[in-house]
Amino acid sequence: MLERALPTTTPRRRTLAVGLIGPGRVGSALLTQLRAAQGRLAAGGLELKLCGVAASKRMWLDCDDPELNYRCDRAQTWRPTDLQQFAAHVRGDDHRHALLIDCSANDFVASHYADWLAEGVHVVTPNKLAGSGPLQRWEAIRAACRAGMRFRYEATVCAGLPVVQTLRDLLDTGDELLAVDGMFSGTLAWLCNRHDGSQPFSTLVREAHALSYTEPDPRDDLSGMDVARKLVILAREAGWALSLDDVEVQSLVPAELAALSIDDFMTQLAQLDTPMAAQLATARAQNGVLRHVASLDRQGRASVKLAVLPASHPFAHTRLTDNVVQFTTRRYHDNPLLVQGPGAGPEVTAAGVFGDLLRIAESLEARA
């Protein structure tokens, strides 16, 4: 008896032109991940074509590198960075699908998103300054997406965790958001988990900085403003018109250290040790644990602060750099929905950006 051959399908071929802005720690990790996956993606019908890399002062438009490696051996022609020229080069004039990835933390770059989207270029970013910046700019970005362009920013909130997508799915299926609570900083989660009194808090901050868990300036984490931005991004995703000024933020940085250079701040980190030791003592006196928590409710009350939580609280059981986000909704009211996992480090952040790129690529039509 002859066996019937199973029908075969030809993968839907798609080509996506990509430009990367910000080849720092996250950007470099992303390029490594893209190179490693390129063969597998091509076999599945997706060809990624790196058309340019732009740093703060110079850019390279001569890649078109099949190995997605801007550090290749052949001659490189760098030129002064011009974001308008860079976007035009990636977009091309052949009606191709084009996507810009912004791995900078630069507000000037974020100010271009609405224009790029309006010009037919998709945008993916871990840069929090667009989603948490001026509300008018955020609305312009959303308006530009109504013409079918994609703007994805999953990695702005909890690196590679599906937090924005989870919230989007809840809302799209008719649920109603009532409150969001969470530990949104992998850096501060790691510091709280390690802060047991055996070492000065300043020693832990230096270790986190060496491990690349912190932002280049650790005050961006310790001030609580990075977490506040994430809270604003989730609020706006839910349709709430929240701004940074609406968030009550407790900073762990003494006022006298806030204006110092990074180097001077790092030399004076020991000033954090006494107040943080006192916070730990308070938590232990209450048989609780110290956690850095952000909270938002539907009345617009938003806060970011250190809190003493009971040992039975879900946030008390986090590990290492875990982020945990608790969504209280109409459906998940008595037993809120939790999303938890690692929330710091270039590799997991890059993976979140990569996931957004793939979701956009999957939605694209094949073009000749």
Side-chain angles (χ1 to χ4, degrees):
M1 180 177 179
L2 296 177
E3 294 184 359
R4 179 178 297 176
L6 294 175
T8 59
T9 59
T10 302
R12 178 166 56 97
R13 308 300 303 179
R14 291 149 294 151
T15 299
L16 181 60
V18 177
L20 175 73
I21 301 168
R25 292 182 300 183
V26 173
S28 295
L30 177 61
L31 285 171
T32 299
Q33 293 177 12
L34 293 175
R35 288 198 302 271
Q38 190 181 14
R40 173 177 55 80
L41 295 176
L46 174 61
E47 178 187 357
L48 295 180
K49 184 178 182 182
L50 183 69
C51 297
V53 175
S56 59
K57 296 182 179 179
R58 60 180 188 165
M59 63 183 183
W60 183 33
L61 305 183
D62 304 315
C63 337
D64 291 348
D65 183 357
E67 296 182 355
L68 289 173
N69 183 359
Y70 72 95
R71 296 187 180 90
C72 54
D73 294 332
R74 58 189 173 87
Q76 302 174 3
T77 303
W78 293 92
R79 64 197 77 189
T81 295
D82 180 323
L83 291 178
Q84 185 174 356
Q85 182 184 7
F86 184 78
H89 175 78
V90 176
R91 185 175 65 249
D93 56 6
D94 56 359
H95 305 291
R96 59 184 165 182
H97 295 297
L99 181 145
L100 287 172
I101 302 171
D102 173 24
C103 288
S104 76
N106 188 287
D107 191 66
F108 179 68
V109 177
S111 70
H112 287 74
Y113 292 177
D115 291 338
W116 290 338
L117 290 161
E119 292 165 359
V121 180
H122 307 289
V123 177
V124 171
T125 187
N127 184 347
K128 292 177 275 292
L129 299 179
S132 64
L135 191 58
Q136 183 177 5
R137 183 171 69 185
W138 170 252
E139 292 170 346
I141 291 171
R142 302 295 285 185
C145 292
R146 295 188 189 115
M149 303 311 298
R150 271 67 170 189
F151 172 55
R152 297 198 65 103
Y153 45 94
E154 182 67 76
T156 60
V157 177
C158 292
L161 295 182
V163 174
V164 175
Q165 186 62 50
T166 297
L167 176 56
R168 185 73 266 152
D169 288 344
L170 290 171
L171 298 174
D172 286 347
T173 57
D175 206 347
E176 179 184 3
L177 183 66
L178 303 179
V180 179
D181 301 279
M183 295 169 56
F184 290 95
S185 170
T187 303
L188 289 164
W190 187 88
L191 289 170
C192 286
N193 282 321
R194 292 288 305 278
H195 184 40
D196 59 4
S198 63
Q199 301 179 76
F201 188 75
S202 58
T203 299
L204 297 175
V205 174
R206 289 191 178 92
E207 184 178 350
H209 189 256
L211 291 169
S212 297
Y213 288 162
T214 71
E215 296 292 331
D217 185 343
R219 286 172 294 189
D220 291 340
D221 300 291
L222 297 170
S223 69
M225 290 306 297
D226 188 64
V227 171
R229 292 186 182 281
K230 297 174 182 181
L231 204 59
V232 169
I233 289 168
L234 288 180
R236 291 179 178 179
E237 185 65 31
W240 300 347
L242 195 75
S243 294
L244 275 176
D245 291 342
D246 301 319
V247 185
E248 180 185 351
V249 182
Q250 175 196 47
S251 176
L252 304 186
V253 181
E256 59 270 22
L257 302 186
L260 298 179
S261 69
I262 296 177
D263 291 340
D264 288 343
F265 169 70
M266 295 300 289
T267 63
Q268 299 190 45
L269 268 176
Q271 291 193 38
L272 278 63
D273 292 341
T274 298
M276 289 303 298
Q279 294 270 16
L280 180 63
T282 298
R284 287 180 168 173
Q286 298 178 21
N287 295 317
V289 297
L290 197 61
R291 293 292 185 262
H292 191 265
V293 178
S295 299
L296 169 69
D297 64 26
R298 63 187 304 176
Q299 281 74 43
R301 293 175 297 214
S303 65
V304 174
K305 61 185 179 181
L306 275 176
V308 177
L309 302 179
S312 59
H313 195 283
F315 297 176
H317 306 292
T318 57
R319 299 177 60 252
L320 301 176
T321 64
D322 272 4
N323 282 179
V324 55
V325 182
Q326 176 177 277
F327 293 114
T328 303
T329 71
R330 180 171 48 80
R331 292 179 188 147
Y332 296 92
H333 185 271
D334 297 329
N335 188 17
L337 175 64
L338 294 178
V339 179
Q340 181 174 344
E347 287 76 19
V348 293
T349 302
V353 176
F354 194 177
D356 276 347
L357 181 154
L358 292 178
R359 290 183 185 94
I360 290 176
E362 182 60 32
S363 71
L364 301 178
E365 297 178 356
R367 292 181 180 174

